[in-house]
Amino acid sequence: MKHPGPLFTLLAGVALAGGIGMANLATGTGAPPVAGAANAAGAPPTTQQTPTTQPPTTQPAKTVDAPARADYAGHVDGGGASVAVSVRDGHAIAYVCDGKKVEAWLQGVTVGGKLDLKGTKGANLAGSYDAAAVTGSVTAGGKTWKFTAGPAKKPAGLYRATPKVKGKGAKVGWIVQADGSQVGILTTDDDQQSIAAPALDPAAGTATVDGAPVTAEAISGIAGGF
């Protein structure tokens, strides 16, 4: 018997390899697709969207509705003294007194409805005001009080006079409350003695000091004080 020649053996091997390849395609067991083939075929690329972060919302700072011109009069907490404040276009004058010995005149600038007023001998007043009231704390004569004072419409408010007592200079300050009540102190220049002020007629703006009539000056936030 003759054996198959070399050419026949080669052709048989090629046919066998082709048959295996066709069988793999038919059964889906061919080589896996090359990475990126889908994009190459025209499929759109997949992109990851980064969420947009909105900036935090900030609330605008509240501003105090402070009048440019205002007058206030009231009592400290507990009723131990009276206080009056007059504001005029960025400047303020205040007066506190107990009607006996303790008193102080204070003044300073105002910004945004805030008060930071200074007087002699360590007196000071700090607080804030709006159209309804002025509130804060005041120190005078070694005492500190908290207070709230409401609006003062004339004749209520703050007054002063510089009379003569026995031929020598003196100073008087009055606070007239909205209900008509008043308190004040008279202090002589020479010996700094303080006594209760004589009664003031707010409507007439006059008082009697040492037997003589005296004209009282209504204090505003830009004039007056000592």
Side-chain angles (χ1 to χ4, degrees):
M1 177 182 290
K2 293 183 179 181
H3 294 283
L7 179 60
F8 178 81
T9 302
L10 177 62
L11 291 175
V14 171
L16 178 61
I20 293 173
M22 292 298 292
N24 287 342
L25 290 176
T27 59
T29 59
V34 179
N39 289 343
T46 301
T47 59
Q48 183 176 359
Q49 297 294 330
T50 301
T52 302
T53 302
Q54 296 295 332
T57 302
T58 58
Q59 297 294 331
K62 293 183 178 180
T63 57
V64 177
D65 184 16
R69 298 188 172 197
D71 297 288
Y72 308 89
H75 304 281
V76 300
D77 292 358
S82 295
V83 61
V85 179
S86 181
V87 177
R88 292 295 185 275
D89 303 321
H91 191 267
I93 289 176
Y95 179 60
V96 57
C97 78
D98 64 358
K100 300 174 183 177
K101 293 183 179 181
V102 177
E103 68 168 349
W105 289 90
L106 311 101
Q107 63 179 328
V109 298
T110 67
V111 178
K114 300 296 183 182
L115 295 171
D116 185 13
L117 312 182
K118 305 296 183 183
T120 60
K121 299 179 180 179
N124 65 80
L125 183 151
S128 60
Y129 66 95
D130 56 22
V134 57
T135 61
S137 63
V138 59
T139 298
K143 298 181 179 181
T144 298
W145 298 281
K146 292 184 178 181
F147 69 90
T148 298
K153 295 182 179 181
K154 296 303 180 190
L158 181 55
Y159 297 83
R160 75 158 189 181
T162 54
K164 295 287 185 178
V165 176
K166 298 184 180 347
K168 298 181 179 180
K171 301 170 184 176
V172 189
W174 291 273
I175 297 173
V176 179
Q177 303 290 351
D179 62 3
S181 62
Q182 59 181 263
V183 65
I185 287 181
L186 182 151
T187 303
T188 55
D189 290 345
D190 56 351
D191 55 9
Q192 293 296 303
Q193 292 294 315
S194 297
I195 61 174
L200 171 70
D201 181 352
T206 60
T208 300
V209 178
D210 197 25
V214 173
T215 299
E217 174 189 8
I219 300 302
S220 71
I222 55 177
F226 299 115

